Amino acid sequence: MHLPVDLINFNATVRVLEPLLVADVTTLWVRFLPYGDRLLTQKGESPSPQHYADMTRSVLPPPPLAAFLKNRQLEKRLSVEAFAEKLSCKTDTIKDIYDGKTQAARPKTLAKINKFIEESYAQDSERANSLKDQLVEINNLARRTYGGPFPFHLEALRRLVNQRPRDCVDILVDCADYGSFFHPALHRLIVKMLVDLRKSGRAIRMLVAGPIRPITSAAEFIEMKHEERMADMHFIEYLNRYIEYLRDEKSTDAQPFREWLDEHKADDCREILSWVKCYAQQDQVPSADELCAWMNRASSTVYNPAGTFTASRDDGGPLLALLWSRERYFEEMLLRSGVALKRAGALPPAITFWLSGKRAIYVFNETKLEERGWAFSTLLVAKDERPRKISVLKSVFENHWTQAPEYKFLECAASTAVV
């Protein structure tokens, strides 16, 4: 298959990959959601792959289990709270399914939903059995194929890599610390997993595309300025949890981040500044004095129990320096463990993915904000089509890995240890 030279370019990626990958996702939704609340096509249509791609960018359906439950709920005109009470479930459980945080129901919840169906269709046992069969099929499918929205799909990435312990792992992302701000505890587990896998001899390659950035393009806040983020209560919740995690972070055999930060500040931030000059957008590169002031302010804010960041422009630089430092910290950790890491590209990738053997989880980032960051597995694709999809992802990775220059900071800080 001939591939464009620059597949990290958004338009080229959409043109080549969406008809191959997303079409299968939407086909599956149409097939498995006859009782869902949204369909992509009208009955009797024969949509083309481009139709699927266009519709997916404009209308992203909810996960199959969420659509199934919403329809059952609406039939009875129940609120989420009333529906959860009817099922004798926690309201949060149903809300998590509806929001995509939980991709599949647990056995106890599944049994309660089945009981609800039986009671709802007590006079129509054939209909009840049909719906229960659909529920089981959809639930099993969701458990195997949906990674969920960002940052909840980090757990799906961890499972993908752990399930095939002998396969090589290829990772294309836009941040070396993908997900660390939004789910720091789970991200730390993923880093430890990668380090441990390298200890066992497993081959792991990570290609970071695009300039260094404070947060990944999979996040909903990527297009906001500092003042806008700090005015968003959802972002503030993430920020407060992140700072709390850093204050309480426990490191066993790795160099603690606080100690790492102090060492780099003591070095007048020279190493961090060189890294920023090399990989950041040039209009974002601060002077040495500015960066040192930012890092000092970031450290005093994080490690002071009363410290907080504000919407002031004066806090934009310190928060940026903190997130840059955290990414550099994890880069060093991965490099010292033997993970092959490269950085390349002037633009962030429109698609990010984790590829392990004959399976992959991929995320489209260049979509509407409310649709951004959704992760899907190649298990969504028909079995006879999967090799072709995997070969596309492998070609994307190999093309860019070959062209990417060697990492310029292989000499990590001597005191930085493996997780």
Side-chain angles (χ1 to χ4, degrees), residues 192-255:
K192 187 177 188 310
M193 173 192 70
L194 294 176
V195 170
D196 289 343
L197 290 174
R198 278 300 304 139
K199 287 181 181 178
S200 67
R202 193 165 175 186
I204 301 173
R205 297 185 295 178
M206 177 182 287
L207 177 60
V208 184
I212 57 173
R213 51 182 51 226
I215 58 176
T216 172
S217 56
E220 59 187 288
F221 310 102
I222 186 62
E223 296 179 3
M224 293 183 181
K225 296 179 180 179
H226 173 72
E227 296 86 350
E228 294 172 327
R229 290 172 184 161
M230 297 302 292
D232 188 299
M233 294 306 298
H234 195 197
F235 181 84
I236 293 298
E237 288 177 5
Y238 278 119
L239 177 59
N240 290 339
R241 284 198 295 266
Y242 183 66
I243 293 176
E244 183 179 352
Y245 177 85
L246 292 181
R247 287 172 180 165
D248 298 336
E249 186 175 32
K250 302 292 190 300
S251 295
T252 53
D253 54 343
Q255 183 185 29

Side-chain angles (χ1 to χ4, degrees), residues 319-336:
L319 181 56
L320 179 64
L322 173 66
L323 298 175
W324 276 349
S325 299
R326 191 70 171 171
E327 176 162 14
R328 177 68 182 130
Y329 171 71
F330 282 116
E331 273 193 2
E332 288 189 3
M333 200 176 291
L334 292 170
L335 286 164
R336 286 191 64 84

Side-chain angles (χ1 to χ4, degrees), residues 331-399:
E331 273 193 2
E332 288 189 3
M333 200 176 291
L334 292 170
L335 286 164
R336 286 191 64 84
S337 72
V339 170
L341 190 148
K342 290 184 177 182
R343 301 193 72 114
L347 296 172
I351 181 173
T352 59
F353 57 82
W354 289 50
L355 177 63
S356 179
K358 297 180 180 179
R359 284 189 56 190
I361 289 178
Y362 51 93
V363 182
F364 286 102
N365 297 325
E366 297 283 356
T367 58
K368 289 183 178 180
L369 285 178
E370 64 271 17
E371 302 167 359
R372 180 168 290 167
W374 275 89
F376 305 101
S377 167
T378 46
L379 287 179
L380 281 166
V381 180
K383 191 172 182 179
D384 59 342
E385 287 292 311
R386 287 177 202 163
R388 187 163 64 100
K389 276 54 175 181
I390 292 295
S391 70
V392 170
L393 295 178
K394 284 185 176 179
S395 296
V396 171
F397 189 89
E398 292 296 342
N399 284 352

